[in-house]
Amino acid sequence: MITKQQLILYCNLLLPKTHWILAVLMLLFSVNQLSAQGKTITGIVTSAQDNLPLPGVNIMIKGTKTVASTGFDGEYSIKASTGDVLVFSFIGFENKEIAVGSNSKIDAALGEDTNKLNEVVVIGYGSQKKADLTGSVSVVNIESAKKTVTYDAAKMLQGQVPGVTVQSSGEPGGFVNVKIRGITSFSNNNPLFVIDGIMVDSPYDFAPGEIESMQVLKDASSAAIYGVRGANGVVIITTKKGKQGKMDIKFKSIVGLQNVAKKWDLTDRVGYQKITSEAERNRDIRAGVPVSIAPGNDPNSPSYISNVNTDWQKESFQTGVVQNQALTFNGGAENLAYSMNVDYFKNTSYINTPQDYERLSTNLNLNGKKGRFKYGAKLAYTQSDKEIFNEYNAGQTVVSDILGAVPTMPVYDANRLGGYGGTDNLTQRAISMNPIGYNNLINNNGKRNRFIGDIWGEIEIVKGLKYKLDVSYDRTDWENRKFIPPSDLGWYYITTNDEASLDVETGNELRTFLNNLLTYEVTLGKHKIDALAGWIQEKRDYHRINTRGVGYEPGEISMLQYADARNASEYKFTITGVSYISRLNYSYDDRYLVQANFRQDKTSLFSEKNNSASFYSFSGGWKISNEKFWKLPEWISNIKLRGGYGTLGNNTISQYFFASTVNSFAGYDFNNELAPGTTVVAALDPNVKWEKSTNSNVGIELGFLDNDLQFTAEYFIKKSSDLLLGVPLPFSTGAFPASVTTNAGSMKNSGVEFTASYSNHHHKFKYDISANFGTLKNEVTKIGLNGNPIYGAVSKTQVGRSVGEMFAWEAIGIFQNAAEVASSPTQTGAAPGDIKFRDVNGDGIITDADRTFQGVTIPKYGFGFNFSASYSNFDFSMFWQGSGGNKIFNAMYRNLMIGQYTNHHTDELNYWTPTNTNTNIPAPVIGDPNGNSRDSNRFIESGDYVKLQTMEIGYNIPLKDKFIQKAKVYLNGQNLLIISKYKGYDPDFNSDGLISRGYDAGSFPNPRTISLGVEVSF
């Protein structure tokens, strides 16, 4: 019988943790130095929990350098004397000592080491024991995170770590936004990702299944070593490494079905025609002209539409398919170990269009040792293909098109060019997009090829002093093609032959890094010191060519040479940088910990006088539980205080943004004669420099019951200054736009974070419980030179308040009669049945000045809860996640409640009439003369939600086959339950406008996914 414990054990062996690197190199790959004297001792080492053999266990004769290790079957052999003591040690298990005596065969059963503080975690340019961390480093529960079926590792962070906000959508291959401890910039807020020591902007092109560990560096104490890249936090990802032994093969396959679990309540043909006809009737009555109803909605017209009743949600939404297959090979010898993975991922859209995402990823990690020399390499290649959804106008998504499509428009119409239905301006008067036709007719494809190569070597010069050279090469090539053929999708959406177009963009980006690192470790009695010094060079080359062809006949080949007219443009740049880094760790008697980091960055992004900056951090820890002047109760395992302070940077700025550009071909009118001249094209600040962030962090860590129960609490303050903002300029400067980007903003984020976990692996029924909770308060402390606020979509960013806060009018009722309209503050175009708005400033007229703040758009708190358990061959897990305290502007609901020619929400059927006054829905009027649909609290909703993000049940199949080591089948559910009052599809949507935040204009809902998976190890 293969148990859950066996599965975990062999997963640990086949897919070693990051902290195994040191152990594998020093223990598994060490020479079996056998004693020249004594007798030969043999035996088998097993797990005490399930009696499964343990390969790779280190066996050492105590007090000597004589070492041996177990093979794949757990067997070992070592020469020892009668008086010797054998010490058995293995990562993840407690050490065990056995005296040799007269025995010649010694078997050992090792128990699990449940002390998680012994875990080694990867930090910037190195690793450190978790118990010795002084900065804010969160270790992701990777086993729980991997239960999220996704193409992007960034999505796996959602709810797993306090202080980390993740936004995504159900779009296949869509971008994932990650924020660590809030908004720190008005430009870029995405963290730095470091994969196997290589800095990347996002993990989009990397297979999540290859990940072995993830750490999140949240404060300056931990991230300052990344300097100008660390202001937004750092996510460190380590992929699987090879280990000594015979080849192990693992195959994984998961196939899932996706659908949209929630539907909007939209009107059918009858409801649509009723509301739209009423809106036209009210328009004409108010204007005092004869009532004119659209013929397609008028039962008395011969053009009345009664045979079309399209449910666009039903026609558009289908069952999507997500699949992921991966094959991993792992093995090797002391001189060279390998881990190779081939991963295939495909996501078929749940929308009835060809917009799918497909990716093939390969990853090869090599590592080895020869004497004092260690070496390794990484080769990764990814090929992806994404069909892109099309927007006719900016912000007009396929989802908004689906919801707004009128039910009197058919999906298909053989009489129109292209074969898809559309509306008619005379019959329906509705400008309505056919989203199925538009996205099927247009071919909009993006292809990416990415190659990463990394090679490193490390030599121990003298004991404790090591030099490492690491060179990496990261190249991405892409091609985007968008072909819009001639077609007829109805009024306003007609593409003529002359308008048909093909846009082709090809490009490549190459990033290279050269790391020279020198480390030194020494222990002198109770003093332990390790130091790091490094010199880093980097270069980024970018090249893009855009070509456009216009003019195609129906059916003509969609290639540039067949276009009637063509034009092209080219763009390229190079950015270089050099950095100097250092770190010092000091520990005294395993009680007092001190760490200092320093980094100086220099980049070509800024002018020579501002192109370098220095960043630093100091942190310390006090292991109170290790003090000798008191004796703590046995049930208290760990008490540690830690705190730190430091500075970080953000160099997110366009290249050459400090040098103003001019047009030397401008002309001036002097006495009615054109004279040649030069004018400023864009005014830029030559003194612009990178943004800065200062962080303060203090925390406490507690462990109880041999650290089975753990708790942490942290408080942080994160201040950002010199933020880049567009400051208005006088029009006399001649610059367009009439603004200059300069360092003129600042803001502050603060909050508290808590984590708690409990593990019980002492019985046959094993379980783990963990929870996290974090709060966040954002405050803008400076905007420009004069503090002028910044307005966005239903938002206002003002000094002293949160960035992108909701700013709108306040609806207070509906005008019931003409007398009420006359006695109220003036509202242009108001009539009975219209919305009454509050006169905030009391000037007797409703204007822009009557808008007020309606709530923050950044969640005030977020949380996650994990539970996993195993019994016999079964295992079960579930993960809940949520956030709250924020507001959402439901622009999609607003668009469905405006009472115009697009489709409507069923709520609008309860519109105001002289006989239906007990309602809060205004009378529909074409043109909306009162502005009932203006930005108001009518459409502002709570963003609070709780989600059952994942639930999984698995069964480990008992096997006696020596070829198949283990097999598991499991059923996984994702996005299974949402508890929320939000009217839209999903309150957890991708909205990262920074200034315009929390604005839902038709986001892709996260689908409900039911998957069946199988994992087999050979």
Side-chain angles (χ1 to χ4, degrees):
M1 299 285 287
I2 295 182
T3 66
K4 165 71 175 180
Q5 178 61 33
Q6 292 172 328
L7 178 63
I8 294 176
L9 172 63
Y10 273 104
C11 282
N12 282 334
L13 296 174
L14 295 174
L15 311 174
K17 303 290 185 185
T18 301
H19 64 264
W20 286 28
I21 296 175
L22 186 60
V24 168
L25 292 175
M26 296 185 65
L27 304 180
L28 297 180
F29 294 164
S30 62
V31 177
N32 294 333
Q33 300 175 359
L34 302 179
S35 173
Q37 298 179 352
K39 55 185 176 181
T40 300
I41 308 297
T42 61
I44 299 176
V45 183
T46 58
S47 166
Q49 276 67 33
D50 50 27
N51 296 320
L52 195 70
L54 293 177
V57 175
N58 183 66
I59 302 99
M60 176 182 290
I61 297 178
K62 190 173 184 179
T64 73
K65 295 183 178 180
T66 303
V67 180
S69 61
T70 60
F72 190 77
D73 52 6
E75 296 181 351
Y76 75 94
S77 174
I78 190 171
K79 281 191 175 182
S81 301
T82 302
D84 289 338
V85 175
L86 300 184
V87 180
F88 299 82
S89 61
F90 191 53
I91 297 296
F93 290 80
E94 295 177 342
N95 290 354
K96 189 168 188 176
E97 296 185 5
I98 301 178
V100 174
S102 60
N103 299 312
S104 58
K105 188 177 190 310
I106 300 176
D107 296 334
L110 303 186
E112 276 189 344
D113 182 0
T114 58
N115 188 352
K116 296 181 180 180
L117 299 183
N118 291 328
E119 182 180 358
V120 175
V121 299
V122 178
I123 57 175
Y125 302 100
S127 60
Q128 195 171 15
K129 197 175 178 180
K130 187 176 181 181
D132 295 338
L133 293 173
T134 55
S136 182
V137 180
S138 292
V139 180
V140 177
N141 183 337
I142 199 67
E143 293 303 320
S144 172
K146 282 186 177 181
K147 289 181 171 62
T148 298
V149 181
T150 179
Y151 53 88
D152 195 332
K155 173 68 174 176
M156 295 163 55
L157 288 168
Q158 187 169 29
Q160 299 289 343
V161 174
V164 177
T165 303
V166 178
Q167 292 180 326
S168 62
S169 74
E171 178 186 0
F175 185 69
V176 177
N177 281 309
V178 180
K179 301 290 175 289
I180 298 177
R181 288 184 170 176
I183 302 297
T184 58
S185 172
F186 290 110
S187 53
N188 175 46
N189 287 277
N190 293 314
L192 169 69
F193 286 85
V194 180
I195 300 179
D196 291 333
I198 305 169
M199 292 191 285
V200 299
D201 291 331
S202 74
Y204 179 82
D205 291 310
F206 302 89
E210 258 298 273
I211 296 175
E212 187 63 40
S213 69
M214 295 177 72
Q215 284 77 232
V216 182
L217 314 185
K218 297 190 290 187
D219 70 338
S221 301
S222 56
I225 197 70
Y226 290 104
V228 75
R229 302 287 190 88
N232 300 327
V234 182
V235 180
I236 297 181
I237 297 175
T238 304
T239 60
K240 301 167 186 174
K241 301 297 186 294
K243 73 174 188 68
Q244 182 181 2
K246 64 178 70 173
M247 178 186 290
D248 301 329
I249 303 174
K250 182 177 181 180
F251 173 73
K252 179 191 77 171
S253 177
I254 186 168
V255 178
L257 303 179
Q258 297 183 324
N259 62 10
V260 179
K262 181 180 179 181
K263 299 293 193 300
W264 280 82
D265 294 323
L266 305 179
T267 55
D268 59 6
R269 177 187 64 81
V270 175
Y272 166 75
Q273 291 176 329
K274 176 182 179 181
I275 294 171
T276 303
S277 297
E278 180 70 9
E280 292 183 310
R281 187 176 295 107
N282 288 332
R283 172 201 59 194
D284 296 337
I285 291 174
R286 291 190 184 193
V289 298
V291 174
S292 174
I293 304 299
N297 299 331
D298 186 358
N300 299 317
S301 170
S303 300
Y304 178 60
I305 300 174
S306 61
N307 60 342
V308 178
N309 187 15
T310 305
D311 182 339
W312 282 98
Q313 290 185 101
K314 181 179 179 180
E315 296 291 339
S316 300
F317 293 142
Q318 61 182 9
T319 299
V321 178
V322 58
Q323 59 175 307
N324 185 203
Q325 286 84 35
L327 190 61
T328 302
F329 304 88
N330 193 295
E334 178 182 5
N335 291 339
L336 187 65
Y338 59 88
S339 177
M340 181 178 180
N341 176 267
V342 180
D343 186 283
Y344 175 74
F345 183 95
K346 184 173 183 179
N347 191 181
T348 301
S349 175
Y350 57 69
I351 297 179
N352 186 16
T353 61
Q355 276 71 22
D356 303 337
Y357 176 70
E358 187 174 21
R359 181 181 68 198
L360 177 65
S361 303
T362 60
N363 186 67
L364 173 64
N365 284 330
L366 303 171
N367 55 278
K369 178 182 179 182
K370 185 72 172 178
R372 293 184 299 168
F373 185 54
K374 298 178 183 178
Y375 42 85
K378 178 183 182 69
L379 298 174
Y381 176 76
T382 298
Q383 183 181 72
S384 61
D385 189 340
K386 174 176 167 55
E387 295 288 337
I388 304 168
F389 284 98
N390 301 288
E391 293 184 3
Y392 189 87
N393 295 311
Q396 183 178 333
T397 70
V398 63
V399 175
S400 65
D401 290 337
I402 290 170
L403 298 181
V406 298
T408 57
M409 176 176 62
V411 177
Y412 304 99
D413 187 346
N415 296 319
R416 293 184 182 273
L417 180 61
Y420 290 93
T423 56
D424 182 74
N425 59 329
L426 298 177
T427 304
Q428 293 148 301
R429 300 176 184 170
I431 300 176
S432 185
M433 167 65 79
N434 182 330
I436 297 176
Y438 191 66
N439 282 280
N440 276 279
L441 287 171
I442 296 177
N443 182 6
N444 191 355
N445 176 266
K447 296 182 182 294
R448 284 168 61 95
N449 295 311
R450 186 169 188 175
F451 172 79
I452 286 184
D454 179 71
I455 185 170
W456 61 271
E458 180 183 87
I459 186 169
E460 186 171 21
I461 302 171
V462 296
K463 185 177 181 180
L465 180 63
K466 300 175 183 178
Y467 168 72
K468 182 178 182 180
L469 176 65
D470 191 332
V471 182
S472 64
Y473 176 99
D474 182 358
R475 180 184 175 103
T476 303
D477 295 89
W478 67 86
E479 179 187 69
N480 298 322
R481 298 177 65 91
K482 183 177 182 179
F483 179 63
I484 304 177
S487 62
D488 178 4
L489 289 173
W491 184 30
Y492 190 77
Y493 297 112
I494 296 177
T495 302
T496 64
N497 294 354
D498 292 339
E499 295 171 329
S501 62
L502 172 63
D503 289 278
V504 181
E505 176 187 283
T506 59
N508 62 77
E509 182 176 10
L510 171 61
R511 293 188 177 188
T512 56
F513 290 89
L514 175 63
N515 297 343
N516 293 272
L517 305 175
L518 195 65
T519 59
Y520 181 64
E521 296 182 19
V522 63
T523 300
L524 302 172
K526 296 182 179 181
H527 306 273
K528 183 179 179 181
I529 300 172
D530 69 79
L532 164 72
W535 171 48
I536 299 169
Q537 289 180 289
E538 61 178 292
K539 184 180 180 182
R540 178 187 176 194
D541 294 299
Y542 180 94
H543 184 211
R544 184 184 74 231
I545 298 176
N546 293 86
T547 309
R548 179 176 176 83
V550 179
Y552 289 89
E553 298 289 334
E556 194 168 8
I557 298 174
S558 58
M559 297 185 72
L560 288 169
Q561 62 262 39
Y562 299 108
D564 295 339
R566 292 171 294 276
N567 61 73
S569 63
E570 186 176 16
Y571 179 69
K572 67 187 306 183
F573 64 80
T574 297
I575 300 172
T576 60
V578 61
S579 304
Y580 302 93
I581 65 172
S582 62
R583 177 171 58 222
L584 177 65
N585 283 311
Y586 170 73
S587 170
Y588 176 73
D589 197 25
D590 200 28
R591 289 183 289 161
Y592 310 115
L593 310 169
V594 177
Q595 184 183 95
N597 290 280
F598 175 80
R599 179 165 179 144
Q600 183 183 77
D601 287 306
K602 186 175 182 179
T603 178
S604 61
L605 280 170
F606 301 98
S607 62
E608 188 173 351
K609 62 181 177 181
N610 290 322
N611 68 355
S612 64
S614 300
F615 308 96
Y616 62 89
S617 71
F618 300 96
S619 59
W622 178 23
K623 295 184 180 180
I624 301 175
S625 53
N626 287 358
E627 288 290 357
K628 299 182 175 53
F629 55 78
W630 59 19
K631 183 173 178 60
L632 296 174
E634 290 186 1
W635 55 273
I636 298 179
S637 310
N638 175 57
I639 303 176
K640 184 175 80 171
L641 287 175
R642 55 177 169 80
Y645 173 85
T647 62
L648 296 163
N650 188 346
N651 66 350
T652 304
I653 188 173
S654 299
Q655 58 284 348
Y656 316 126
F657 216 65
F658 57 88
S660 297
T661 56
V662 297
N663 180 4
S664 58
F665 300 98
Y668 291 83
D669 184 3
F670 287 102
N671 297 322
N672 295 322
E673 292 186 8
L674 187 64
T678 300
T679 185
V680 175
V681 175
L684 299 174
D685 181 6
N687 297 314
V688 70
K689 55 187 177 182
W690 32 39
E691 303 173 340
K692 291 185 178 180
S693 174
T694 59
N695 287 205
S696 301
N697 191 92
V698 61
I700 184 172
E701 299 177 5
L702 303 174
F704 309 99
L705 306 175
D706 290 331
N707 289 311
D708 283 349
L709 176 62
Q710 297 189 42
F711 175 82
T712 65
E714 296 185 57
Y715 173 72
F716 71 90
I717 298 177
K718 192 175 183 180
K719 296 180 179 179
S720 303
S721 58
D722 291 332
L723 301 183
L724 294 169
L725 278 174
V727 177
L729 290 174
F731 288 105
S732 59
T733 61
F736 180 81
S739 64
V740 60
T741 298
T742 187
N743 302 95
S746 62
M747 68 175 68
K748 179 177 74 172
N749 292 279
S750 60
V752 293
E753 297 170 355
F754 304 95
T755 63
S757 65
Y758 179 70
S759 298
N760 190 331
H761 289 190
H762 306 295
H763 306 90
K764 193 172 183 180
F765 176 73
K766 302 175 177 62
Y767 61 91
D768 295 274
I769 302 173
S770 64
N772 66 78
F773 179 85
T775 69
L776 180 66
K777 180 182 179 181
N778 173 270
E779 180 184 354
V780 178
T781 55
K782 180 183 177 182
I783 300 178
L785 303 177
N786 302 314
N788 295 326
I790 303 173
Y791 293 91
V794 202
S795 74
K796 181 179 180 181
T797 299
Q798 176 179 299
V799 173
R801 306 191 72 97
S802 175
V803 63
E805 197 165 339
M806 286 291 175
F807 192 67
W809 284 273
E810 186 176 347
I812 57 175
I814 291 183
F815 291 114
Q816 297 297 328
N817 49 58
E820 188 176 352
V821 174
S823 62
S824 298
T826 302
Q827 288 183 203
T828 303
D834 282 331
I835 296 290
K836 182 194 302 184
F837 296 99
R838 186 180 300 281
D839 182 13
V840 175
N841 62 4
D843 64 355
I845 184 172
I846 304 301
T847 64
D848 285 353
D850 293 307
R851 291 179 294 174
T852 58
F853 288 102
Q854 300 287 333
V856 300
T857 53
I858 300 175
K860 293 181 179 179
Y861 62 87
F863 58 89
F865 174 81
N866 267 302
F867 174 80
S868 61
S870 65
Y871 181 81
S872 185
N873 292 333
F874 291 92
D875 59 78
F876 171 81
S877 66
M878 64 177 177
F879 169 50
W880 295 80
Q881 178 267 333
S883 66
N886 60 303
K887 297 295 184 180
I888 297 174
F889 188 83
N890 195 338
M892 199 62 249
Y893 182 65
R894 188 258 300 277
N895 295 343
L896 296 170
M897 294 292 291
I898 60 177
Q900 303 301 298
Y901 286 110
T902 58
N903 203 12
H904 317 289
H905 195 283
T906 55
D907 286 353
E908 193 158 359
L909 289 169
N910 189 30
Y911 56 78
W912 184 94
T913 67
T915 58
N916 183 38
T917 59
N918 187 23
T919 179
N920 61 354
I921 309 299
V925 185
I926 295 297
D928 193 16
N930 182 57
N932 293 323
S933 61
R934 71 181 72 182
D935 301 337
S936 73
N937 61 342
R938 291 181 61 208
F939 314 111
I940 295 176
E941 302 181 42
S942 170
D944 300 359
Y945 74 88
V946 178
K947 273 191 180 185
L948 178 55
Q949 286 281 15
T950 61
M951 180 182 290
E952 184 175 296
I953 184 169
Y955 178 68
N956 297 285
I957 303 173
L959 295 171
K960 295 182 179 181
D961 192 312
K962 292 184 178 181
F963 178 69
I964 299 178
Q965 297 295 323
K966 61 180 179 179
K968 176 184 177 180
V969 294
Y970 55 93
L971 183 66
N972 179 286
Q974 194 166 315
N975 201 35
L976 295 175
L977 175 66
I978 304 176
I979 303 174
S980 172
K981 296 181 180 179
Y982 185 59
K983 289 181 180 292
Y985 284 122
D986 191 345
D988 174 27
F989 62 93
N990 202 340
S991 173
D992 187 41
L994 299 182
I995 301 301
S996 301
R997 302 185 58 81
Y999 188 88
D1000 187 358
S1003 61
F1004 285 82
N1006 289 292
R1008 177 179 295 168
T1009 306
I1010 305 297
S1011 305
L1012 180 65
V1014 59
E1015 295 180 3
V1016 182
S1017 295
F1018 304 95

